[in-house]
């Protein structure tokens, strides 16, 4: 996977400076960051992420948009009174202008343009002025002026109820209902584009006829060169075959080999080309844990090894030290302890929190070494100059994020159906980007990110404090939608179906996703207000026994005459 210029992440790269920066380690003990700041970061107030403040006006139902008042008169007869005879006298440019006003395609010969415009006049497709078109295109998705919703017709034949083996097996909404309402489908049918993703499977070798003496030939698991592969449609996500081949991985590989592929210990373990993933921006430094070791030792040297817990006791870290301590942090995330140092004790010393495996691998002096590691660990070169906070807010982990956004995509092939949702990286420290979400979620406070996931695998992520691409903002998109569309354009295949979280979804966003280069199909629930939902599918909320009568009364509508997305049909049901 090679990032295209359009998918380049919109953050400013740090650059190396000559001067040396003094990092005051004592401020870390008091909970401050390296900038000495402690403001509370509220993404709702500071980043405009309040879902209730984002509104989309619903398009009219069963009628095109009308002309605004004070219409300037064109040089040829007005669109509203243009006749079929007058079409013959129009020039090509005038024909295209009239087709644009009606939201029709403008490609083709002059004869095709005349035919298309004549059909539009017969269908009484009202025109709109250039001002109306500009106003329409300046909104979120640039819907055609003639776009409108059409309610779908229900079928007269009810859908038969599924036959369950047990009479007690019922939907949760029908447990208390003795005679559930009949369910009806819709008459209209729509063709959904097929997912273009393919996967490679081992070709089956034909067996020779006749009885032969069986002889088992065991090919090595990593011997990909001697196997032949066929391409078949991909029905489920999974590891990328070329990635497994490059790093010699399979189901029998040691877990450390998988970790080393995703988090290489040294530059020689990083088999990716510097042209494909230049995490530092200097065209020569490959990502590796050894870089972190160098940064950590350099930070301690720059700070003069000061700090009440490490003064006079500092010894340089090794690559193995850094990786071991990172592993302990991961284990503590899976099984938290009241204090991290308890993990380094043996179980004979601490039966509850002690860990013999960590104690034996990290040594008896691990607690002191971990304190030094925690004090000066760095994932960013300390002699680089940080960009403005608004342009690169996650400067301290910028290199790491660049690497993860590359290697996670390359290691996995997405299935046809994926999910878009928010993730929270929990933290108990202090940061200006920490979001208070514990009121609604058990996971507690932390730093939030929007992510694309497939079967439990995080394929891409976009932290909410990071800047968004300006091209989406210019279209009227919210930062929330801009982050998702940036990740959609990183898809290698077309026509993925993305299950959406309700705050993410909207009518306009659905059309923009279908228009992006990877042509993404979105589905999911959405809020009734402020998301472009037409009135024809809305029903009054009922309570009590009236809920039983409302069961199965689904309404649906489709968006028509939206030529800005010729292949896509936007459909809603309620």
């Amino acid at each position: 996977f090679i990032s295209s210029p359009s998918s380049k992440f919109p953050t400013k790269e740090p650059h190396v400076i000559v001067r040396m920066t003094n990092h005051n380690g004592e401020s870390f003990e008091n909970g401050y960051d390296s900038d000495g700041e402690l403001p509370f970061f509220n993404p709702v107030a500071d980043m405009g992420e309040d879902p209730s403040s984002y509104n989309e006006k619903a398009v009219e139902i069963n009628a095109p948009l009308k002309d605004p008042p004070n219409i300037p008169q064109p040089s040829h007869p007005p669109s509203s009174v243009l006749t079929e005879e007058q079409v013959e006298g129009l020039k090509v440019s005038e024909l295209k202008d009239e087709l644009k006003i009606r939201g029709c395609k403008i490609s083709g010969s002059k004869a095709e343009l005349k035919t298309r415009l004549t059909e539009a006049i017969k269908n009484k497709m009202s025109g709109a002025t250039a001002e109306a078109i500009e106003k329409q295109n300046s909104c979120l998705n640039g819907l055609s002026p003639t776009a409108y919703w059409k309610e779908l017709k229900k079928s007269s034949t009810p859908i038969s109820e599924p036959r369950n083996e047990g009479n007690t097996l019922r939907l949760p909404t029908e447990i208390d209902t003795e005679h559930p309402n009949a369910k009806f489908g819709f008459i209209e049918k729509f063709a959904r584009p097929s997912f273009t993703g393919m996967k490679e499977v081992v070709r089956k070798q034909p067996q020779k006829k006749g009885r032969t003496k069986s002889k088992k030939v065991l090919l090595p698991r990593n011997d990909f060169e001697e196997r032949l592969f066929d391409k078949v449609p991909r029905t489920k996500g999974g590891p990328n075959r070329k990635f497994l081949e490059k790093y010699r991985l399979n189901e029998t590989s040691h877990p450390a080999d998988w970790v080393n592929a995703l988090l290489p210990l040294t530059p020689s373990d990083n088999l990716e080309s510097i042209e494909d993933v230049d995490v530092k921006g200097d065209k020569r430094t490959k990502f590796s844990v050894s870089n972190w070791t160098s940064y950590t030792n350099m930070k301690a040297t720059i700070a003069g090894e000061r700090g009440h817990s490490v003064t006079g006791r500092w010894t340089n870290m090794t690559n193995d030290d850094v990786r071991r301590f990172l592993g302990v942090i991961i284990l503590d995330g899976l099984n938290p302890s009241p204090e991290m140092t308890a993990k380094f004790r043996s179980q004979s010393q601490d039966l509850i929190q002690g860990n013999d495996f960590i104690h034996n691998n990290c040594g008896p002096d691990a607690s002191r070494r971990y304190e030094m590691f925690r004090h000066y660990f760095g994932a960013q070169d300390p002699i680089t100059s940080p960009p403005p906070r608004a342009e690169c807010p996650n400067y301290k982990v910028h290199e790491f994020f660049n690497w993860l956004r590359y290697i996670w995509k390359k290691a996995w092939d997405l299935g046809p159906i994926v999910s878009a949702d928010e993730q929270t990286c929990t933290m108990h420290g202090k940061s200006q980007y920490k979001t208070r979400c514990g009121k609604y979620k058990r996971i507690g406070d932390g730093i939030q990110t929007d992510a694309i996931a497939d079967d439990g695998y995080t394929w891409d992520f976009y932290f909410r404090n990071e800047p968004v691409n300006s091209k989406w903002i210019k279209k009227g998109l919210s930062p929330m939608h801009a982050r998702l569309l940036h990740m959609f354009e990183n898809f290698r295949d077309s026509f993925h179906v993305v299950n959406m979280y309700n705050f993410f979804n909207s009518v306009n966003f659905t059309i923009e996703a279908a228009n992006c280069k990877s042509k993404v199909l979105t589905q999911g629930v959405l809020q009734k207000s402020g998301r472009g939902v037409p009135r024809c599918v809305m029903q009054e909320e009922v309570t009590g026994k009236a809920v039983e009568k409302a069961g199965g009364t689904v309404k649906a509508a489709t968006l028509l005459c939206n030529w800005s997305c010729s292949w896509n049909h936007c459909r809603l049901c309620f």
Side-chain angles (χ1 to χ4, degrees):
F1 174 76
I2 301 177
S3 299
S4 62
S6 61
S7 63
K8 179 176 173 57
F9 208 79
T11 53
K12 187 174 182 179
E13 296 286 345
H15 61 276
V16 179
I17 56 176
V18 178
R19 63 182 177 84
M20 306 296 282
T21 304
N22 184 17
H23 290 252
N24 187 359
E26 296 180 0
S27 62
F28 295 157
E29 299 293 335
N30 298 324
Y32 288 80
D33 61 10
S34 60
D35 299 321
E37 297 179 353
L38 276 177
F40 169 65
F41 176 71
N42 187 343
V44 174
D46 299 343
M47 302 292 288
E49 294 295 323
D50 187 3
S52 62
S53 65
Y54 177 73
N55 293 311
E56 296 177 7
K57 185 177 180 180
V59 180
E60 290 186 18
I61 306 169
N62 296 336
L65 296 177
K66 298 180 180 179
D67 295 343
N70 301 325
I71 301 176
Q73 298 296 324
S75 57
H76 54 275
S79 303
S80 57
V81 297
L82 190 66
T83 62
E84 297 179 24
E85 292 76 17
Q86 292 170 330
V87 171
E88 296 296 329
L90 298 180
K91 300 178 182 179
V92 174
S93 59
E94 294 174 339
L95 290 170
K96 291 184 177 181
D97 290 340
E98 289 293 334
L99 289 171
K100 285 181 181 179
I101 290 174
R102 290 167 172 79
C104 299
K105 297 180 180 179
I106 60 173
S107 60
S109 62
K110 184 175 182 179
E112 292 174 344
L113 297 179
K114 289 182 178 180
T115 302
R116 195 174 300 143
L117 181 56
T118 302
E119 293 177 355
I121 294 174
K122 289 181 179 179
N123 295 329
K124 298 181 179 180
M125 297 174 66
S126 63
T129 64
E131 293 178 352
I133 295 175
E134 183 179 358
K135 182 179 180 181
Q136 188 71 32
N137 290 334
S138 65
C139 72
L140 179 63
N141 55 9
L143 291 177
S144 301
T146 53
Y148 66 95
W149 287 96
K150 179 182 178 183
E151 186 175 354
L152 303 184
K153 297 180 180 180
K154 287 187 179 180
S155 173
S156 58
T157 305
I159 299 174
S160 59
E161 293 289 335
R163 296 182 178 180
N164 298 319
E165 297 180 357
N167 296 329
T168 59
L169 298 178
R170 280 178 156 186
L171 295 175
T173 55
E174 299 177 355
I175 292 178
D176 299 330
T177 306
E178 295 183 2
H179 303 286
N181 298 339
K183 300 178 179 64
F184 296 87
F186 296 92
I187 299 175
E188 291 84 350
K189 294 183 179 180
F190 303 92
R192 174 174 290 185
S194 300
F195 176 58
T196 61
M198 307 291 286
K199 73 172 183 178
E200 295 179 327
V201 296
V202 179
R203 181 182 302 175
K204 294 182 179 180
Q205 299 295 332
Q207 297 181 354
K208 296 181 180 180
K209 296 182 178 180
R211 298 185 63 181
T212 58
K213 186 177 180 180
S214 61
K215 183 179 180 181
K216 295 183 178 181
V217 179
L218 298 178
L219 291 176
R221 287 286 186 178
N222 284 333
D223 197 358
F224 292 94
E225 292 79 3
E226 296 185 11
R227 299 182 182 182
L228 298 177
F229 295 89
D230 293 322
K231 289 188 176 182
V232 298
R234 191 187 317 140
T235 58
K236 187 178 180 181
N240 180 273
R241 186 188 69 83
K242 293 182 179 179
F243 176 81
L244 300 180
E245 177 182 353
K246 176 182 286 188
Y247 289 94
R248 319 302 291 179
L249 298 172
N250 55 65
E251 63 273 15
T252 63
S253 298
H254 194 279
D257 296 331
W258 289 89
V259 173
N260 203 49
L262 299 173
L263 200 65
L265 183 63
T266 63
S268 60
D269 296 326
N270 186 344
L271 304 183
E272 306 302 322
S273 172
I274 190 65
E275 288 78 14
D276 295 341
V277 51
D278 183 14
V279 296
K280 197 173 180 179
D282 60 358
K283 303 297 183 182
R284 65 175 185 272
T285 304
K286 283 189 172 185
F287 174 82
S288 66
V289 175
S290 62
N291 294 345
W292 295 351
T293 305
S294 175
Y295 300 158
T296 302
N297 293 331
M298 189 181 300
K299 283 181 66 176
T301 303
I302 294 173
E305 305 170 12
R306 292 196 303 270
H308 70 272
S309 61
V310 298
T311 302
R313 300 188 300 166
W314 171 263
T315 54
N316 282 343
M317 294 286 167
T318 64
N319 295 337
D320 290 335
D321 289 336
V322 173
R323 189 153 71 169
R324 287 193 190 102
F325 292 139
L326 291 176
V328 173
I329 293 174
I330 294 174
L331 289 176
D332 187 71
L334 299 173
N335 182 24
S337 296
E339 58 177 6
M340 181 70 74
T341 54
K343 293 284 187 187
F344 299 103
R345 303 168 189 159
S346 64
Q347 288 185 277
S348 59
Q349 297 171 327
D350 189 335
L351 183 61
I352 304 300
Q353 303 298 333
N355 189 302
D356 288 340
F357 176 79
I358 296 176
H359 177 77
N360 294 333
N361 281 274
C362 295
D365 196 30
S367 296
R368 181 185 68 85
R369 297 278 292 168
Y370 175 75
E371 286 297 324
M372 294 189 295
F373 166 82
R374 186 181 67 87
H375 205 81
Y376 289 114
F377 174 72
Q380 182 72 31
D381 192 341
I383 63 173
T384 56
S385 175
R389 186 181 294 276
E391 299 179 8
C392 188
N394 300 324
Y395 156 74
K396 296 179 181 178
V397 287
H398 181 72
E399 290 184 21
F400 187 39
F401 282 0
N402 282 348
W403 169 253
L404 293 183
R405 288 187 175 108
Y406 172 85
I407 200 65
W408 284 0
K409 295 187 189 76
K410 185 166 185 178
W412 189 270
D413 289 330
L414 288 175
I417 301 177
V418 297
S419 298
D421 204 344
E422 64 182 17
Q423 294 182 2
T424 302
C425 302
T426 57
M427 62 172 298
H428 301 289
K430 295 182 179 181
S431 171
Q432 73 174 97
Y433 298 124
K434 186 176 180 180
T435 304
R436 297 190 181 277
C437 53
K439 181 178 179 181
Y440 305 102
K441 293 188 177 182
R442 186 178 180 182
I443 194 172
D445 298 344
I447 300 178
Q448 289 188 322
T449 178
D450 299 326
I452 302 295
D454 179 20
D455 199 18
Y457 182 90
T458 300
W459 192 79
D460 200 1
F461 60 94
Y462 203 131
F463 277 88
R464 293 188 172 181
N465 63 336
E466 294 178 305
V468 297
N469 196 322
S470 60
K471 75 172 184 177
W472 302 116
I473 302 300
K474 291 178 181 177
K475 287 188 174 184
L477 288 157
S478 68
M480 172 179 61
H481 290 153
R483 289 191 294 268
L484 289 175
L485 288 169
H486 176 89
M487 292 188 287
F488 285 175
E489 290 202 332
N490 289 328
F491 289 168
R492 294 190 285 267
D493 306 301
S494 299
F495 304 118
H496 280 281
V497 176
V498 180
N499 294 322
M500 304 296 300
Y501 177 60
N502 59 350
F503 279 171
F504 290 159
N505 216 358
S506 76
V507 172
N508 289 326
F509 170 73
T510 296
I511 297 172
E512 278 296 328
N515 281 332
C516 73
K517 66 179 183 181
S518 52
K519 302 186 185 305
V520 177
L521 308 175
T522 60
Q523 64 181 14
V525 298
L526 73 164
Q527 296 175 342
K528 291 191 298 182
S529 61
R531 293 297 185 269
V533 180
R535 295 185 297 272
C536 62
V537 299
M538 291 190 180
Q539 302 184 57
E540 295 183 2
E541 295 184 8
V542 294
T543 57
K545 293 185 177 180
V547 176
E548 298 180 6
K549 297 182 180 179
T553 58
V554 176
K555 292 184 177 181
T558 182
L559 185 62
L560 299 178
C561 293
N562 180 33
W563 301 113
S564 62
C565 187
S566 58
W567 68 270
N568 178 62
H569 287 276
C570 183
R571 293 176 291 277
L572 287 174
C573 62
F574 187 80

